Amino acid sequence: MALSAGAQTRSEYLDAQFNVVPVESSKLIKYVRDVTALSDSTFEVKVYFKTGEVMMTGRYLDTDLLVEDGDFTYFYANGTAESMGRYRNGSKVGTWKRWNYDGRSKPDRLYPDENFRRSTRTTAAARLPGGREALRKLVSDSLQYPQEARER
């Protein structure tokens, strides 16, 4: 169903793989998705567990709801936040906060921004002045075999 800016929110019923299913297929329904058009190219989405708790909130840049953009929050079924962060044009960027099912903090995840500037510095192997010949000379002058090894 098409949705244009200013239109009411549409609700869709989803199976476990987030495929849209008809409401008549109640045994397959695991989630309900509410989609509101903010403009012709921006859609605010809320996904609810079948039991009514919020599972996810965020915005998309396409009618197929494939390109995430903006702040997103994901929740566990008990209502506790699972993760929170930002998407930019379909990719996670910046710091994503994360929590356990019981609300305890987990380590943050960091994602590079697409505007990440690459350094002009490069990593190169160390080189000895004088090249390979100087390296060979250094090794042969420094290497001291034990007498027993030389005799063998």
Side-chain angles (χ1 to χ4, degrees), residues 1 8 15 29 31 33 37 39 45-46 48 74-75 78 83-84 86 91 110 116 124 127 131 139 141 143 149:
M1 164 176 41
Q8 292 184 350
D15 65 12
I29 296 172
Y31 308 99
R33 176 169 60 198
S39 71
V45 175
K46 288 185 180 181
Y48 300 90
Y74 295 90
F75 298 90
N78 69 356
S83 61
M84 181 185 304
R86 177 176 292 262
S91 296
L110 301 175
F116 177 77
R127 294 183 184 200
V139 169
D141 290 349
L143 192 60

Side-chain angles (χ1 to χ4, degrees), residues 3-22:
L3 193 66
S4 59
Q8 292 184 350
T9 300
R10 79 172 185 241
S11 293
E12 300 172 328
Y13 302 95
L14 310 172
D15 65 12
Q17 290 76 38
F18 286 85
N19 298 311
V20 177
V21 295

Side-chain angles (χ1 to χ4, degrees), residues 16-78:
Q17 290 76 38
F18 286 85
N19 298 311
V20 177
V21 295
V23 70
E24 297 81 28
S25 303
S26 61
K27 289 183 180 179
L28 298 176
I29 296 172
K30 300 293 182 194
Y31 308 99
V32 177
R33 176 169 60 198
D34 288 343
V35 181
T36 304
L38 302 177
S39 71
D40 289 338
S41 62
T42 305
F43 302 87
E44 186 172 83
V45 175
K46 288 185 180 181
V47 177
Y48 300 90
F49 292 100
K50 185 178 180 179
T51 54
E53 295 85 5
V54 176
M55 182 249 183
M56 183 276 300
T57 63
R59 291 188 179 178
Y60 289 83
L61 293 179
D62 63 323
T63 56
D64 295 327
L65 306 179
L66 299 174
V67 183
E68 301 94 339
D69 195 75
D71 295 327
F72 271 68
T73 305
Y74 295 90
F75 298 90
Y76 291 108
N78 69 356

Side-chain angles (χ1 to χ4, degrees), residues 90-141:
S91 296
K92 287 181 176 181
V93 295
T95 302
W96 276 70
K97 301 281 185 192
R98 303 179 319 133
W99 297 273
N100 287 326
Y101 190 77
D102 61 5
R104 287 180 292 137
S105 291
K106 293 169 66 174
D108 293 346
R109 293 253 168 105
L110 301 175
Y111 297 89
D113 194 328
E114 75 270 8
N115 296 327
F116 177 77
R117 292 184 187 172
R118 297 218 180 266
S119 170
T120 56
R121 279 180 23 188
T122 59
T123 303
R127 294 183 184 200
L128 188 68
R132 287 184 181 259
E133 192 54 42
L135 178 62
R136 278 190 210 110
K137 182 170 178 10
L138 176 68
V139 169
S140 70
D141 290 349

Side-chain angles (χ1 to χ4, degrees), residues 145-152:
Y145 280 109
Q147 182 66 33
E148 184 181 329
R150 277 188 261 160
E151 290 172 1
R152 286 187 193 175

